[in-house]
Amino acid sequence: MQTVDVIVIGAGLAGLTTARELGNSGHKVLVLEAQDRLGGRIYTDDRLGVHLELGGNWLHWLQPHVWAEVTRYGLEVDRGPRSEECYWLQNGEVVKNDLAGFLAFIDPGQRKLVARSAEIMPRPDLIEGGAEFRAADQLSLQEVFDGLDLSDEERDANECAWVGHCNGPLDQVSYSAAIRWTAATAGEWGVMHTASSVLRITAGNSTLVDVIAGDVKGEIRLNSPVVKICHQRDGGEVTLADGSISRARRIVNTLPLNILHKLDIEPPLSPVKREASEEGTGSRGLKLWIRVKGPIKPFFAYSSQHHNLSVIRTEFVNAEDAVLVAFGADIDRFDFENIAAVSEALKVWRDDLEVLEVAAHPWGRDPYAEETWMIQRPGAYTRSQAELQRNEDSLYFASSDIANLWAGFFDGAIESGLRTAREVHTSLGAAYREFPRSADQ
Ligand SMILES: Cc1cc2nc3c(=O)[nH]c(=O)nc-3n(C[C@H](O)[C@H](O)[C@H](O)COP(=O)(O)OP(=O)(O)OC[C@H]3O[C@@H](n4cnc5c(N)ncnc54)[C@H](O)[C@@H]3O)c2cc1C
């Protein structure tokens, strides 16, 4: 049986960050990853003629943990083409304007919705327990929209901007999710909008994964799905699907929240963690890439949360073709792999686009994720945020899904990995004094 100081389960950003930090602190680390690739919900694939981000896409210098990695590794960052046109729906008609026109149209609604975020959540980097935040957390985003007194057109436009952010039906998304996002940019919804959807790593986000993995002093084992964890105060054992067992003084579990409860854990997860995982996140939407015949002008388009595709925009543009990225609230709503169905969905705005190819990863059906990016359901933060971060014996947790500041983003994965590595390092210092390491460790 292999014995190490720390086993990290999962080689996404949270797991790799945890492993890098603990390896650099002198601990013997083993990373066990179920799949045959690194990165988890970062998944860059060369398709449709570009570095296609099937998973996480954009990042920003306002996201401090991930931007520190951009600086540390000298990663080149660029942006997609600026939209020259914007389409949205008003009084049953398609309006064609520019992006500034759309943003001005939704500005009053967005202000009503989230302008007080920084007051309601003054320190989004910490767990918020204030009464006003807790009250907001009980509401769905839909309930708040319903009370905003917007015209039908304003409401559709404002709502679908949030489908782009939340990637789920708005009645299943907590209002506090919107507050958390906007509090991270001090209450400025336009800044939040930019921070979450413009800049990308030029060579693909997998390069970020690869450079962090390259700095892990320890083994990273692919094709190693963990099926069982047994943990006690002084250490634990991890069993893989092939029956092999490894032992460590500390175990860090980085599984996405939606699949956490599916692992056989002894003693069982605390009831709050288990219920949070069983309830699941609100993140059941679709991210779809569409290659269309060119030339076209780069454009943005918004419909409503009820359409198959709520938001669409041009991410790459060439003379002969362009690659669009689209988001919908529900992955099960239409056959997004069918070119005819996608062409039909685009006709909401324009019938002059010829769809050549489509590409997507069905995250909601991926057994190693079962979700896109984490968005909490109403009440979930208040019920479970603090508990999800708490270790149980020698079993620790790290994931973007349980982060504070930019939870659900790359930044949150790194924040969570850094926090957990610090906690594990501190607890191992005490453990080495109590149970000294053997000469071969
Ligand atoms: C479609 C989509 C779009 C997104 N867009 C953005 C964006 O634009 N900007 C942004 O910042 N973020 C975005 N995100 C979110 C971001 O990608 C994630 O929050 C982040 O990558 C999660 O990192 P993680 O390490 O916490 O989890 P994961 O990346 O999910 O890592 C968990 C790892 O655990 C592994 N695993 C699971 N089960 C087992 C098991 N039993 N045994 C061993 N290993 C196991 C998984 O294979 C995976 O590698 C997006 C995500 C998706 C899916």
Side-chain angles (χ1 to χ4, degrees):
M1 183 191 306
Q2 185 174 8
T3 302
V4 294
D5 296 324
V6 186
I7 292 174
V8 177
I9 304 172
L13 267 190
L16 292 172
T17 303
T18 310
R20 179 189 64 188
E21 298 303 305
L22 287 168
N24 282 343
S25 300
H27 308 290
K28 187 169 178 187
V29 175
L30 169 65
V31 182
L32 298 172
E33 166 55 50
Q35 303 191 66
D36 60 0
R37 63 173 182 85
L38 302 172
R41 280 174 280 169
I42 289 186
Y43 186 3
T44 312
D45 207 7
D46 286 336
R47 281 155 77 171
L48 312 190
V50 293
H51 299 308
L52 204 68
E53 302 296 352
L54 295 167
N57 215 123
W58 299 286
L59 71 178
H60 201 274
W61 55 80
L62 291 169
Q63 297 168 338
H65 304 92
V66 72
W67 205 260
E69 304 296 337
V70 168
T71 306
R72 178 201 296 239
Y73 293 111
L75 301 174
E76 190 186 331
V77 169
D78 66 7
R79 56 161 299 150
R82 287 178 198 279
S83 291
E84 294 174 32
E85 299 171 344
C86 188
Y87 299 79
W88 70 92
L89 308 181
Q90 224 170 309
N91 301 323
E93 302 285 326
V94 177
V95 178
K96 183 176 167 189
N97 199 315
D98 55 18
L99 185 57
F102 178 76
L103 296 177
F105 180 58
I106 64 170
D107 183 63
Q110 297 293 313
R111 283 178 189 277
K112 282 186 189 174
L113 185 75
V114 288
R116 291 195 58 255
S117 297
E119 291 160 58
I120 298 173
M121 195 176 207
R123 287 288 303 272
D125 59 319
L126 303 177
I127 293 179
E128 176 62 55
E132 198 173 1
F133 180 84
R134 285 202 310 275
D137 187 42
Q138 304 312 311
L139 302 170
S140 72
L141 202 42
Q142 190 62 62
E143 285 173 298
V144 179
F145 266 120
D146 290 350
L148 283 189
D149 196 24
L150 301 174
S151 70
D152 289 350
E153 288 72 30
E154 275 183 292
R155 197 171 138 151
D156 279 348
N158 274 282
E159 285 178 352
C160 70
W162 276 96
V163 170
H165 294 319
C166 293
N167 209 225
L170 299 185
D171 60 354
Q172 293 170 42
V173 167
S174 162
Y175 175 41
S176 68
I179 288 173
R180 289 179 79 186
W181 279 52
T182 319
T185 51
E188 297 294 332
W189 76 267
V191 180
M192 177 275 293
H193 188 86
T194 302
S196 57
S197 60
V198 175
L199 299 176
R200 59 195 184 196
I201 295 177
T202 309
N205 292 328
S206 59
T207 54
L208 172 63
V209 172
D210 291 343
V211 286
I212 297 178
D215 271 355
V216 173
K217 297 189 181 91
E219 185 186 355
I220 302 174
R221 209 178 289 166
L222 299 177
N223 301 307
S224 302
V226 170
V227 293
K228 183 166 184 172
I229 301 172
C230 293
H231 60 96
Q232 306 86 33
R233 189 180 75 84
D234 60 344
E237 287 176 3
V238 169
T239 307
L240 297 186
D242 66 6
S244 62
I245 297 176
S246 302
R247 189 168 172 81
R249 290 175 187 252
R250 299 290 179 269
I251 298 165
V252 180
N253 186 336
T254 75
L255 265 57
L257 186 60
N258 280 8
I259 58 170
L260 185 61
H261 68 281
K262 297 196 169 173
L263 216 54
D264 181 0
I265 301 182
E266 275 302 322
L269 287 172
S270 71
V272 171
K273 285 196 186 81
R274 187 171 183 86
E275 281 157 23
S277 174
E278 282 172 353
E279 180 193 41
T281 63
S283 329
R284 52 184 279 196
L286 169 69
K287 176 184 183 183
L288 177 67
W289 290 98
I290 308 167
R291 189 164 80 86
V292 296
K293 195 158 183 279
I296 62 160
K297 284 187 182 165
F299 72 100
F300 235 115
Y302 294 87
S303 57
S304 80
Q305 64 163 320
H306 308 291
H307 285 81
N308 288 343
L309 298 176
S310 297
V311 185
I312 188 160
R313 86 136 182 260
T314 314
E315 190 64 9
F316 301 93
V317 70
N318 304 305
E320 299 79 33
D321 65 1
V323 179
L324 317 175
V325 61
F327 295 92
D330 189 344
I331 191 178
D332 293 323
R333 209 178 265 170
F334 86 117
D335 183 4
F336 56 86
E337 286 168 333
N338 180 310
I339 287 185
V342 174
S343 304
E344 202 52 42
L346 292 180
K347 286 191 184 143
V348 170
W349 303 284
R350 44 194 294 184
D351 55 13
D352 59 334
L353 296 173
E354 184 182 338
V355 177
L356 303 173
E357 282 179 280
V358 293
H361 183 77
W363 292 100
R365 299 170 200 153
D366 178 335
Y368 297 117
E370 291 194 14
E371 60 175 273
T372 54
W373 61 95
M374 194 285 303
I375 293 289
Q376 275 157 330
R377 292 177 186 275
Y381 184 103
T382 313
R383 281 194 299 274
S384 59
Q385 177 73 2
E387 170 59 21
L388 285 169
Q389 293 182 7
R390 190 183 64 81
N391 66 299
E392 299 186 26
D393 292 330
S394 52
L395 178 60
Y396 287 71
F397 301 87
S399 167
S400 183
D401 296 9
I402 63 171
N404 287 342
L405 186 54
W406 287 93
F409 290 79
F410 306 148
D411 192 82
I414 295 166
E415 174 211 302
S416 179
L418 292 175
R419 178 184 306 110
T420 302
R422 171 170 47 74
E423 290 171 0
V424 169
H425 175 65
T426 304
S427 80
L428 279 173
Y432 295 150
R433 284 192 290 281
E434 197 175 342
F435 306 104
R437 301 162 104 190
S438 59
D440 61 346
Q441 280 196 298

